[in-house]
DNA sequence: CGATACGTTGACGGAAATCAACCCCGGTGG
DNA sequence: CCACCGGGGTTGATTTCCGTCAACGTATCG
């Protein structure tokens, strides 16, 4: 009998936010064999071109997936937080078509593909749930396209912050509409396809509007309704099971 | 014994482009019960907010998924061609977070979710293959983000055309580097997050560069290497099984 | 043959990029 | 203890890519 791994706590919370888990399924998740590791800030966890045989669960920290264009511009494709398996797709797409990198020092737990396959074999509903998770991820990418493609900078930033708040709340990392956002403005710029200078200006504007406030690296949402409105934020695309408190 | 449906031909070709199919699997796919339908151009096939109980296979035509922002701007999220199941995600995400629309008159084949589930139950490898297909779709969304976010208009258009050519070739719709592209410049604009005016200019530039030529609605790629280069196109993200002739 | 949709062109405007400072703060080492 | 350093945040001046507007050409079709 394998030990119960507390590092799966956030993962279980996250999965419970998108579907119901039975006690057996929870227990099976907690018994997943993990290879723990910590990485420093700005370090690649998996690089474009790698072929993976394990998936990376974020236990604590902030990571992102990104691509770099020929002109050397970085585009961040998604942010990843506690509870995310940031490269679940590697289960069926062995070659990485992008890189995964730590934005701040991260605690990671690697899970062998074979162990995941065994888990899904024994618990088909978990297989479906992981599939569902990757589909939600794809929905987030779609919104990212809309955001980057068609929304002006102010709306764009508001939308991104709304998404982060809702996702962080699902893993209990939001308290009283405030959460830790330990990334730089340059990171946000690469996520929103803006320049760091413009992110700075837009951030100031959101503060002047009384929607948000920064206390060091923690972001406090002062006017949630206002932020949702200026961000045109509709959480449907996150496909949460519990629609409360949105 | 159900009849064999020729409408699944492109689907089978497409799946074979990303993995091997056994004769039994092919036969099972061909026996899928289909509800055939044709839709006119510019008509929604599935709309945002709908809850689906079937998936939509494109038999012939050109479709797209899109979202509309509060300011009324449309962002096309993906193009869909023969062989694509354009809303496979509805299997696990019942509420549509975007719309699916025909860009030209389309022949469609709807497949009940229950029939797909039965198919995957009897053929687990097909289940994995469908999952893989949605993961590749997600990879395409990621490239779409990079394209829209960080590439200048000329590169952006070249990249999109490269992607379309490779995907169309997988379903045998490319002959001698030429294919039917029956969409308007306004459609391309909404896909690339540009204005239709600018698409027109960029399109002219690609023609002046000798990379492409239009003969009515068919696009001929005159310089495939050149187009790939100006589009910074690397087909890795399409995760094709056969890497030949890229 | 007019209606209509799509492609094309030119003039102008604007949102955001770029460039270049400067500030602030925490860390570090002489 | 303080000078130094470097990363990140902030600001202003200037530029640029692309959007918007408006007109006109062109092809298809009932």
């Amino acid at each position: 009998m394998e030990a119960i791994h507390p590092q799966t706590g956030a993962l279980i919370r996250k999965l419970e936010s998108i579907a119901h888990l039975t006690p057996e399924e929870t227990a099976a998740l907690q018994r997943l064999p993990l290879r723990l590791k910590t990485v420093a800030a700005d370090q690649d966890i998996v690089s474009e071109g790698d072929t993976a045989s394990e998936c990376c669960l974020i236990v604590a920290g902030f990571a992102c997936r990104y691509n770099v264009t020929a002109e050397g511009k970085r585009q961040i494709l998604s942010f990843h937080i506690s509870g995310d398996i940031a490269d679940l797709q590697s289960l069926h797409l062995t070659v990485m078509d992008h890189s995964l990198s730590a934005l701040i020092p991260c605690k990671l737990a690697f899970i062998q593909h074979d162990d995941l396959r065994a888990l899904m074999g024994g618990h088909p509903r978990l297989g479906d749930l992981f599939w569902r998770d990757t589909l939600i991820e794809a929905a987030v990418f779609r919104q990212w396209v809309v955001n980057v493609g068609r929304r002006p900078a102010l709306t764009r930033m508001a939308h991104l912050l709304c998404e982060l708040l809702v996702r962080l709340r699902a893993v209990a990392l939001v308290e009283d509409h405030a959460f830790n956002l330990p990334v730089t403005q340059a990171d946000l710029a690469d996520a929103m396809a803006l320049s760091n200078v413009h992110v700075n200006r837009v951030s100031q504007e959101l503060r002047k509007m009384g929607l948000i406030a920064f206390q060091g690296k923690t972001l406090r949402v002062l006017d949630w309704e206002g932020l949702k409105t200026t961000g045109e934020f509709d959480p449907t695309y996150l496909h949460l099971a519990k629609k409360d408190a949105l």
Side-chain angles (χ1 to χ4, degrees), chain A:
Chain A
M1 173 113 185
E2 298 93 339
I4 283 180
H5 296 118
Q7 292 85 358
T8 55
L11 170 63
I12 288 164
R13 255 196 300 275
K14 184 244 185 77
L15 293 177
E16 277 177 336
S17 78
I18 59 173
H20 176 71
L21 291 179
T22 68
E24 293 74 31
E25 288 162 351
T26 307
L29 287 164
Q30 288 172 327
R31 283 196 302 270
L32 271 173
L34 303 179
R35 184 173 69 82
L36 300 178
K37 189 183 175 184
T38 65
V39 295
D42 290 319
Q43 212 179 305
D44 272 13
I45 300 166
V46 195
S47 299
E48 188 174 348
D50 288 358
T51 56
S53 63
E54 50 188 5
C55 290
C56 175
L57 167 64
I58 315 284
V59 176
F62 239 85
C64 75
R65 310 205 222 178
Y66 70 93
N67 254 324
V68 177
T69 68
E71 293 99 45
K73 300 190 174 190
R74 178 176 69 157
Q75 175 65 53
I76 290 181
L77 304 163
S78 58
F79 287 122
H80 290 286
I81 59 177
S82 304
D84 285 352
I85 300 182
D87 58 350
L88 195 49
Q89 91 286 339
S90 69
L91 209 52
H92 289 289
L93 305 179
T94 45
V95 178
M96 289 289 290
D97 54 47
H98 59 276
S99 299
L100 176 62
S101 168
L103 290 166
I104 56 166
C106 286
K107 291 183 192 165
L108 309 175
F110 289 95
I111 310 170
Q112 288 289 324
H113 286 173
D114 289 341
D115 292 326
L116 276 172
R117 290 202 188 90
L119 174 73
M120 298 186 296
H123 302 268
R125 278 192 64 248
L126 283 181
D128 284 351
L129 187 48
F130 282 127
W131 189 356
R132 179 175 159 93
D133 186 53
T134 62
L135 291 169
I136 293 174
E137 201 169 88
V140 172
F141 291 136
R142 285 193 292 268
Q143 273 302 316
W144 217 273
V145 172
V146 176
N147 217 22
V148 163
R150 288 297 190 201
R151 289 201 251 259
L154 188 77
T155 313
R156 206 182 294 187
M157 181 152 185
H159 193 279
L160 176 60
L161 296 178
C162 287
E163 179 182 311
L164 283 173
L165 185 138
V166 171
R167 287 177 54 205
L168 285 162
R169 184 162 50 198
V171 286
L173 288 175
V174 175
E175 205 168 328
D176 196 22
H177 287 244
F179 58 90
N180 188 35
L181 185 62
V183 303
T184 67
Q185 291 183 349
D187 294 329
L188 292 173
D190 286 345
M192 296 189 289
L194 295 170
S195 69
N196 50 0
V197 173
H198 205 62
V199 167
N200 184 285
R201 294 185 169 125
V202 168
S203 161
Q204 287 178 54
E205 173 114 25
L206 287 172
R207 281 177 269 165
K208 278 188 206 117
M209 290 169 77
L211 300 178
I212 62 170
F214 278 99
Q215 293 149 354
K217 286 292 187 186
T218 92
L219 176 76
R220 181 171 299 281
V221 175
L222 303 174
D223 179 359
W224 176 231
E225 288 304 319
L227 192 66
K228 280 197 294 184
T229 305
T230 76
E232 301 177 5
F233 183 73
D234 173 359
T236 306
Y237 74 98
L238 292 170
H239 297 274
L240 297 175
K242 303 154 186 167
K243 317 281 191 208
D244 53 277
L246 297 177

